């Protein structure tokens, strides 16, 4: 059951920056709302209110909306017009395809003096003889249209002339309809009670081929070879139970929708409850899976039994080195892998026959042993032992003897000459570089310039 709350109103008021005190228009259609509440307290300045295609059984909690001009309550479970006296500015009222059979309840709309348009098409009261004449004669302010048909002046005059006779016919037909509705309510209540008892009996019955044991240990995905036979029998049993359960659900759906029932507020609400329960069961159902260790191809294969007719856009696969996560319609399925895999090399595809999701994940043995020194253990023959030892000794002695080789100091090949300021003012005194003789027989000749 969806209730009207402040959070829901703020979500639907995005066009008004989620502000409710100044909100003039709001749409709450197709929200499966079953009770009209809180709107008159939180949205006092509303002018347009859309509530079509819900499950509202009664008009209430809108009488304080003084500025309301248009109210749309089409496709609901309303049986009587009421609680609209306070909507002083109401100009248009849409009650299409409801269950209004008490036509005399339209007299409450006499207080809405600005009402110009009224829609009652699709209600049981429209089948009454003299329906249109009664509405036109009762609501004098309705000058524009009734059920999208313009009201002419001549039609109103004739309706006022025959009002007494038409009113008597309407009252008689209304009483017959109310008695019929009382019987329909009793039958609907009995039918609901019988279905609840049958449901309880079915829950007590043992399910064939199912021993009520489920195996959901995700850390023990690779079966022991000694238990292969037992696991195979368990899988076959679960498969038979699933097929039996699916066939039974199909039969129940077929029987529910083919059962002849009158179109009443109770049957409409019952169909909604049935669909809601089916939706909840599907959301809570567990997906069966099978993880296979394909040693020949050095990979893991995950077979996830997603729904056959599920759109692939509702499936999101995330493969990580140590685990895999699959989002199915926003619900997570996560499995810890027995060994590390390569996410970049993994692939996912749907089976064309069963619709299952098949994910192939290559193992990452090379990545696991990357930090360790991998050595190939090859035993050399006796004839090659001496050669391998010589090669190893040569490789180990490939060193440079600093006493036999000399290397120049490349850092000081060219000595940079320190510069002084060359402007009109000397910024720094010139440094005198003393040259020391490199050998004993060196003679310094002043006529020879120094080497750069």
């Amino acid at each position: 059951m969806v209730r009207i709350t402040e959070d829901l109103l703020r979500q639907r008021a995005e066009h008004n920056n989620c502000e409710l005190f100044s909100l003039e228009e709001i749409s709450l259609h197709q929200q499966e709302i079953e009770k009209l509440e809180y709107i008159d307290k939180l949205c006092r300045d509303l002018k347009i209110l859309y509530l079509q295609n819900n499950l509202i059984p009664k008009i209430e909690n809108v009488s304080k909306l003084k500025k309301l001009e248009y109210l749309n309550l089409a496709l609901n479970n309303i049986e009587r017009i009421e609680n609209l006296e306070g909507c002083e500015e109401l100009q248009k009222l849409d009650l299409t395809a409801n269950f209004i059979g008490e036509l005399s309840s339209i007299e409450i709309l006499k207080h809405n003096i600005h009402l110009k348009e009224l829609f009652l098409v699709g209600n049981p009261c429209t089948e009454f003889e003299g329906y249109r004449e009664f509405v036109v004669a009762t609501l004098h302010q309705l000058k524009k249209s009734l059920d999208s048909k313009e009201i002419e002046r001549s039609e109103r005059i004739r309706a006022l002339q025959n009002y007494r006779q038409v009113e008597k016919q309407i009252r008689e037909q209304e009483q017959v309809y109310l008695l019929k509705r009382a019987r329909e309510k009793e039958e609907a209540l009995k039918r609901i009670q019988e279905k609840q008892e049958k449901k309880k009996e079915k829950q007590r019955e043992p399910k064939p081929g199912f021993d009520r044991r489920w195996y959901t240990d995700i850390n023990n995905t690779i079966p022991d070879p000694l238990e292969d036979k037992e696991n195979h029998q368990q899988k076959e049993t679960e498969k038979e139970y699933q097929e039996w359960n699916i066939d039974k659900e199909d039969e129940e759906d077929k029987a529910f929708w083919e059962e002849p029932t009158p179109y009443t507020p109770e049957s409409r609400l019952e169909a909604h409850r049935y669909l809601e329960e089916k939706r909840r069961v599907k959301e809570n159902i567990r997906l069966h899976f099978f993880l296979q260790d394909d040693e020949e191809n050095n990979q893991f294969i995950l077979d996830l039994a997603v729904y056959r007719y599920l759109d692939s856009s509702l499936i999101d696969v995330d493969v990580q080195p140590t685990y895999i996560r699959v989002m199915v319609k926003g619900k997570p399925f996560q499995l810890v892998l027995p060994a590390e895999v390569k996410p970049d090399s993994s692939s996912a595809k749907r089976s064309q026959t069963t619709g299952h999701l098949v994910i192939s994940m290559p193992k990452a043995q090379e990545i696991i042993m990357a930090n360790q020194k991998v050595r190939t253990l090859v035993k050399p023959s006796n004839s090659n032992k001496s050669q391998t030892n010589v090669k190893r000794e040569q490789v180990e002695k490939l060193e440079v003897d600093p006493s036999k080789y000399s290397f120049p100091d490349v850092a000081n090949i060219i000595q940079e000459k320190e510069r002084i300021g060359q402007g009109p003012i000397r910024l720094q005194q010139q440094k005198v570089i003393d040259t020391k003789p490199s050998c004993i027989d060196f003679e310094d000749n002043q006529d020879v310039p120094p080497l750069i």
Side-chain angles (χ1 to χ4, degrees):
M1 177 178 177
V2 178
R3 302 180 67 93
I4 299 177
T5 60
E6 184 178 354
D7 293 336
L8 177 61
L9 294 174
R10 291 191 184 278
Q11 289 176 6
R12 306 299 293 180
E14 295 178 353
H15 58 282
N16 198 46
N17 297 325
C18 300
E19 295 178 356
L20 300 180
F21 68 93
S22 62
L23 187 64
E24 295 184 354
E25 179 180 347
I26 191 170
S27 179
L28 298 171
H29 66 284
Q30 296 181 351
Q31 296 291 317
E32 300 179 356
I33 298 171
E34 298 185 25
K35 188 177 181 180
L36 194 54
E37 55 186 349
Y38 299 122
I39 295 179
D40 57 342
K41 296 180 181 179
L42 301 174
C43 308
R44 289 291 185 91
D45 292 340
L46 272 181
K47 293 183 179 181
I48 300 175
L49 177 57
Y50 295 99
L51 288 164
Q52 66 269 28
N53 202 357
N54 283 294
L55 300 166
I56 300 172
K58 184 179 180 181
I59 303 175
E60 56 185 342
N61 298 319
V62 293
S63 59
K64 295 181 181 179
L65 301 177
K66 304 295 183 181
K67 300 180 181 180
L68 187 64
E69 298 177 1
Y70 176 34
L71 176 60
N72 192 331
L73 283 165
L75 290 167
N76 278 280
N77 294 345
I78 298 171
E79 298 188 62
R80 193 174 189 274
I81 302 174
E82 56 187 340
N83 300 323
L84 291 173
E85 309 92 280
C87 302
E88 299 174 355
E89 299 295 328
L90 186 63
Q91 300 178 13
K92 184 177 180 180
L93 177 61
D94 193 347
L95 293 168
T96 302
N98 276 273
F99 298 91
I100 298 174
E102 193 175 347
L103 186 57
S104 59
S105 63
I106 65 168
E107 294 179 353
I108 199 69
L109 297 177
K110 289 181 179 181
H111 301 279
N112 306 102
I113 59 176
H114 298 288
L115 185 65
K116 297 179 181 179
E117 295 181 77
L118 178 63
F119 297 88
L120 292 172
V121 64
N123 286 273
C125 64
T126 59
E127 299 178 1
F128 294 172
E129 185 179 354
Y131 147 74
R132 186 174 176 87
E133 292 178 343
F134 178 77
V135 175
V136 171
T138 303
L139 303 178
H140 300 272
Q141 77 276 24
L142 197 66
K143 297 180 180 180
K144 192 172 182 180
S145 66
L146 173 62
D147 298 335
S148 300
K149 185 178 179 181
E150 187 179 355
I151 301 173
E152 298 180 357
R153 186 185 177 196
S154 59
E155 182 184 5
R156 188 179 299 278
I157 293 173
R158 288 193 302 270
L160 290 172
Q161 291 174 349
N162 302 326
Y163 179 72
R164 296 297 179 185
Q165 182 180 357
V166 172
E167 182 185 11
K168 184 179 179 181
Q169 293 177 352
I170 293 296
R171 298 288 183 181
E172 292 175 355
Q173 297 175 76
E174 188 176 288
Q175 291 298 323
V176 174
Y177 175 79
L178 292 177
L179 292 174
K180 178 184 175 183
R181 278 292 300 134
R183 291 194 300 268
E184 289 177 351
K185 289 180 180 179
E186 292 179 1
E187 293 175 357
L189 183 61
K190 291 180 181 179
R191 186 171 60 253
I192 292 173
Q193 291 177 353
E194 291 176 357
K195 289 184 177 180
Q196 289 178 351
E197 291 177 359
K198 290 181 180 179
K199 186 177 179 180
K200 292 179 180 178
E201 291 177 359
K202 290 179 180 179
Q203 290 177 352
R204 297 191 195 101
E205 294 178 357
K207 298 175 182 179
F210 182 54
D211 59 357
R212 298 190 179 275
R213 292 186 300 169
W214 294 95
Y215 299 88
T216 57
D217 187 4
I218 61 175
N219 295 320
N220 190 19
T221 54
I222 301 179
D224 190 353
L226 298 177
E227 300 179 355
D228 284 345
K229 186 176 180 180
E230 182 180 354
N231 291 339
H232 180 71
Q233 293 177 354
Q234 179 66 25
K235 290 173 185 176
E236 291 294 332
T237 304
E238 293 180 4
K239 186 177 180 181
E240 291 177 1
Y241 167 70
Q242 293 173 16
E243 294 176 354
W244 172 82
N245 196 17
I246 292 172
D247 294 339
K248 189 176 180 181
E249 289 179 357
D250 293 340
E251 292 177 0
E252 290 178 355
D253 289 343
K254 188 176 180 180
F256 179 83
W257 295 114
E258 291 183 354
E259 181 183 1
T261 54
Y263 183 64
T264 60
E266 291 79 18
S267 63
R268 190 166 181 260
L269 189 61
E270 184 183 358
H272 170 71
R273 293 274 190 269
Y274 182 79
L275 292 174
E276 186 179 6
E277 184 179 358
K278 288 292 182 182
R279 190 186 308 118
R280 186 169 57 251
V281 170
K282 287 184 178 180
E283 289 178 353
N284 296 332
I285 194 171
R286 296 182 180 181
L287 297 178
H288 297 273
F289 67 93
F290 176 69
L291 185 64
Q292 179 184 0
D293 187 1
D294 188 2
E295 297 181 353
E296 295 181 358
N297 299 319
N298 195 29
Q299 64 180 356
F300 292 114
I301 299 177
L302 175 63
D303 187 346
L304 185 61
V306 298
Y307 312 118
R308 179 179 299 180
Y309 302 107
L310 181 66
D311 192 355
S312 298
S313 60
L314 300 175
I315 303 174
D316 186 18
V317 181
D318 181 17
V319 180
Q320 296 295 331
T322 57
Y323 68 91
I324 178 174
R325 182 188 293 117
V326 181
M327 301 295 293
V328 182
K329 295 180 66 175
K331 295 186 176 293
F333 169 86
Q334 186 165 325
L335 182 66
V336 178
L337 300 173
E340 194 170 351
V341 299
K342 298 178 181 179
D344 297 338
S345 303
S346 302
S347 62
K349 60 182 180 179
R350 295 284 298 277
S351 175
Q352 296 181 355
T353 55
T354 62
H356 290 194
L357 180 65
V358 181
I359 305 172
S360 301
M361 298 168 286
K363 297 179 182 179
Q365 294 180 352
E366 295 83 5
I367 298 177
I368 295 174
M369 302 179 64
N371 296 330
Q372 300 178 1
K373 293 182 179 179
V374 181
R375 295 182 180 179
T376 56
L377 299 177
V378 180
K379 294 183 179 181
S381 59
N382 296 329
S383 60
N384 296 330
K385 280 186 179 180
S386 59
Q387 296 179 2
T388 54
N389 292 334
V390 172
K391 290 181 180 179
R392 287 182 180 177
E393 291 178 359
Q394 292 177 356
V395 171
E396 291 176 357
K397 290 183 179 180
L398 284 178
E399 297 179 357
V400 178
D401 188 0
S403 62
K404 295 183 179 180
Y405 301 95
S406 61
F407 297 93
D409 188 3
V410 296
N412 298 321
I413 292 178
I414 299 176
Q415 295 181 356
E416 294 184 359
K417 185 177 180 181
E418 296 184 7
R419 296 185 179 182
I420 59 176
Q422 300 296 335
I425 302 175
R426 291 182 176 275
L427 301 177
Q428 183 179 0
Q429 295 182 358
Q430 187 174 2
K431 293 182 180 180
V432 180
I433 300 174
D434 296 334
T435 58
K436 295 182 181 180
S438 59
C439 58
I440 300 174
D441 298 334
F442 177 77
E443 292 182 0
D444 187 10
N445 189 354
Q446 298 296 332
D447 298 332
V448 179
L451 297 175
I452 295 176

